[in-house]
Amino acid sequence: MKAAYINPFVNAVRHLFQTMMTMSVKIGQPALNTDAQPQHDVCGVIDVSGEVNGRVVVSMPELLATTLASELLGDTIEKLDADCIDAVGEIANMIAGNAKTDFPGGANAISVPQVVIGRENVAYAATTPVINIPCETDEGPLDIDVALKAR
């Protein structure tokens, strides 16, 4: 997968944390995810179609999900309830939406986010390599898996 499709996700995560969160984020080196499974159990899933097709998964542990939801909603969220799940979907949507605007070339569309609990419940296309972008926040790990293939 070309860096032109990975770098927009790095920039989108940075932008999200600079503008919407009070905690910092450190972004690690993108690498091939050979497990073909998200790293954590709370997953915001976005499908991409157009010039590139595939899936983007933003995964995090439950503690980070509740912390980010609290920051986004401006209210204390202590468990994985409906508000937290909505916030995780919105976080995935903001990351994928911002990244999509920086893709090279033609038009691409993103799906409505789906939040999946349990990393084993998320599938990637077998023929598409999955690139993991590891991130570390003040409150724990956040991973972005990008599985996109040019048409």
Side-chain angles (χ1 to χ4, degrees), residues 85-110:
I85 289 170
D86 286 348
V88 168
E90 184 56 28
I91 289 165
N93 191 49
M94 286 188 285
I95 291 171
N98 282 331
K100 176 184 78 104
T101 63
D102 290 337
F103 283 0
N108 290 286
I110 61 173

Side-chain angles (χ1 to χ4, degrees), residues 69-149:
S70 297
E71 290 237 354
L72 191 63
L73 300 173
D75 194 14
T76 302
I77 305 292
E78 295 179 354
K79 61 183 178 182
L80 235 122
D81 60 11
D83 288 336
C84 184
I85 289 170
D86 286 348
V88 168
E90 184 56 28
I91 289 165
N93 191 49
M94 286 188 285
I95 291 171
N98 282 331
K100 176 184 78 104
T101 63
D102 290 337
F103 283 0
N108 290 286
I110 61 173
S111 70
V112 172
Q114 176 186 17
V115 177
V116 178
I117 308 302
R119 68 185 107 190
E120 68 280 355
N121 297 321
V122 176
Y124 298 108
T127 58
T128 305
V130 180
I131 304 298
N132 174 259
I133 305 168
C135 305
E136 188 64 39
T137 74
D138 300 336
E139 300 294 328
L142 172 79
D143 284 82
I144 316 299
D145 282 344
V146 180
L148 299 176
K149 193 173 193 178

Side-chain angles (χ1 to χ4, degrees), residues 41-65:
D41 284 324
V42 180
C43 304
V45 180
I46 301 273
D47 290 323
V48 179
S49 60
E51 193 166 292
V52 292
N53 293 302
R55 176 166 278 182
V56 176
V57 178
V58 178
S59 72
M60 63 197 82
E62 185 175 337
L63 179 61
L64 182 60

